[in-house]
Amino acid sequence: MAALASTSVLIIGGGPSGLLLSQLLHRQGIASVVLERRSRDHVLSRIRAGVLEQGAADLLRAAGVGARMDRDGLVHEGIEIAVGDRLHRLDLAALTGGKTVMVYGQTEVTADLYAARDAMDGVVIDEAEGVALHGLETDAPSASFLKDGTRQTIRADFIIGCDGFHGVSRRSIPADRLSLFELVYPFGWLGLLADVPPAADELVYASHPDGFSLCSMRSPTRSRYYLQCPLDEKVADWDDDRFWDVLCARLPAELAARVTRGPSIEKSIAPLRSFVAEPLRHGRLFLAGDAAHIVPPTGAKGLNLAASDIHYLSTALIDHYRSGDDEGLERYSERALARVWKAERFSWWMTSVLHSFPEKGGFAARMQQAELEYLLSSPAAQASLAENYVGLPY
Ligand code: APR
Ligand code: PHB
């Protein structure tokens, strides 16, 4: 490909945040280039979460990438909460005046976005190594990178950091201009994907003295399960039989009896973290998605927060290019963070209430028990969970 000298919006990172932004901008005639460090095969093979709020699903539709989601995605009107041997259904739709969630894997969302970028001849430069950002505090920012052994530079009006938690964008902001807030949890999630029918029709979030577990799915024939596990656990020590045995021991007996076992397609351990960087703007650089914030997966908010950031940011950029109105850009950080912190609170709360924290002692354990009893007996508490789970308004 010929070296591109400049574009309007230069997006670092070709995950869901970066691709969705480039797609929304392109549909409004705004040029962008996406720089992605990894190969496309690598990006498309990552297994991530799979629950979309209505706002996120609507944004994908607005970006012209909703067709396969609407055909293959599963609309869920409820979730189940298991406490020990008890199983309680929360009717999300009834508790929220009709709102639902869409179960559709992030892997599929990313594939749909790449297909749409290709169909519109969108420029996504993959295997862009050593990306470095320059001139962020000037009105002519740029990024340099190595592609096929050649150093290239692209200038832009704005640079958008969509390069995830380990990306270069956030680290390009001087440390004294950022505040970082972080909580690292003393456990991880061991995930298993298998081509077996799910144990239940809806997702089951299960609290048990031995640890949390989650029954999720990708389709009527593909299941995704997770187990809370110690951080020093090794995937190699978990053969499939051990995983299924531990899962079934943590679920209510009636549910365990419905678990179909099968060979795993993928198994991996992910640490749990809450993290927010403030503000989301430094000069001409804006941060979005995992580059700016991380939530533990318990509330299924990671991809949904990326979507709401991109909603605020795409609207702001479109206003800038259409009418020279910069109010959205000026207020992006404040607007996005207001929603981010509420989702951080919810994800932290879901994590705290459902996982085992033996190191916290007896009082904390009783508080957690009381919290769960309250949740399962109070329509107000259930309405609050449901309101957050289906997604707060943009
Ligand atoms: N240069 C270019 N690209 C980079 C760099 C870099 N230095 N560092 C990372 N990247 C790429 C990664 O390879 C990845 O493809 O940026 C992309 C970031 O994608 P994600 O991590 O998926 O982040 P985001 O697009 O914000 O999506 C958020 O992903 O992790 C989940 O829970 C999260 O579901 C949420 C979603
Ligand atoms: C998933 O299916 O991967 C999943 C679902 C819900 C969560 C987290 C992960 O809260």
Side-chain angles (χ1 to χ4, degrees), residues 69 101 172 187 197 291 378 385:
M69 171 187 77
V101 292
S172 304
F187 44 73
S378 158
L385 190 159

Side-chain angles (χ1 to χ4, degrees), residues 13 15-17 36-38 46 48 106 162-163 167 289-290 302-303:
S17 301
E36 165 57 49
R37 184 165 63 102
R38 312 302 294 250
R46 287 192 296 232
R48 296 260 176 88
Q106 182 174 321
C162 293
D163 47 354
D290 275 18
L303 179 57

Side-chain angles (χ1 to χ4, degrees), residues 48-51 189 203 205 214 216-218 224 226 297-300:
R48 296 260 176 88
V51 178
W189 275 19
L203 271 60
Y205 290 83
L214 170 61
S216 183
M217 66 191 72
R218 292 290 174 273
R224 180 74 167 155
Y226 296 97
T298 324

Side-chain angles (χ1 to χ4, degrees), residues 11-20 34-39 42-43 46 48-50 106 110 114 125 128-132 145 161-169 171 288-295 297 300-307 309-310:
I11 298 168
I12 315 300
S17 301
L19 295 173
L20 180 58
V34 176
L35 289 184
E36 165 57 49
R37 184 165 63 102
R38 312 302 294 250
S39 69
H42 178 95
V43 173
R46 287 192 296 232
R48 296 260 176 88
Q106 182 174 321
T110 310
Y114 267 110
I125 302 177
E129 293 170 42
V131 171
F145 58 100
C162 293
D163 47 354
F165 183 65
H166 299 287
V168 67
S169 300
R171 285 187 280 114
D290 275 18
H293 40 73
I294 297 289
V295 285
K301 291 293 169 230
L303 179 57
N304 291 300
L305 274 187
D309 286 356
I310 296 305

